[in-house]
């Protein structure tokens, strides 16, 4: 899986669960069937949406934004539509 991630980064491709799933081919004796099942679950549950949202969150690499991300609770950062403004936290 790490090799797949490195290949995608070097090619400038965005990281994606569908792409990374190919790194699981040796994880199960079911091989390609296992990878296909994982990809099917990703599609069925629309998890690619979270790949896109995560890329949006990380697109701003300014120090203030990164500080805000580092100090926010996981729920506020990772759930779509949630604010990353740390001043809104109590």
């Amino acid at each position: 899986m790490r090799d797949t991630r490195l290949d995608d980064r070097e090619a400038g491709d965005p990281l994606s669960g569908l792409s990374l799933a190919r790194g699981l081919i040796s994880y199960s004796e079911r091989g390609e069937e296992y990878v296909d099942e994982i990809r099917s679950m990703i599609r069925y549950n629309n998890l690619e949406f979270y790949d896109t949202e995560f890329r949006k969150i990380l697109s701003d690499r300014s120090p203030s934004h990164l500080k805000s991300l580092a100090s926010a609770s996981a729920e506020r950062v990772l759930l779509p539509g949630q604010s990353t403004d740390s001043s809104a936290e109590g």
Side-chain angles (χ1 to χ4, degrees):
M1 194 178 292
R2 289 182 182 137
D3 291 339
T4 299
R5 183 178 60 200
L6 179 60
D7 291 344
D8 287 348
R9 284 188 173 156
E10 287 177 345
D13 296 334
L15 298 179
S16 120
L18 289 173
S19 176
L20 292 172
R22 76 174 173 225
L24 298 172
I25 197 159
S26 299
Y27 185 77
S28 169
E29 61 187 36
R30 292 172 46 219
E32 191 66 39
E33 181 183 326
Y34 179 73
V35 171
D36 290 343
E37 185 175 341
I38 296 295
R39 287 179 173 156
S40 178
M41 285 189 270
I42 290 170
R43 286 186 194 100
Y44 180 82
N45 292 294
N46 196 26
L47 299 179
E48 291 171 292
F49 170 80
Y50 292 96
D51 287 340
T52 302
E53 289 300 306
F54 188 67
R55 282 192 289 275
K56 284 181 193 175
I57 290 168
L58 292 182
S59 65
D60 179 356
R61 304 232 173 165
S62 67
S64 63
H65 182 70
L66 294 175
K67 183 178 178 182
S68 174
L69 290 176
S71 63
S73 69
E75 295 82 15
R76 295 185 61 80
V77 173
L78 298 177
L79 292 177
Q82 298 296 312
S83 170
T84 58
D85 181 6
S86 62
S87 65
E89 292 187 42

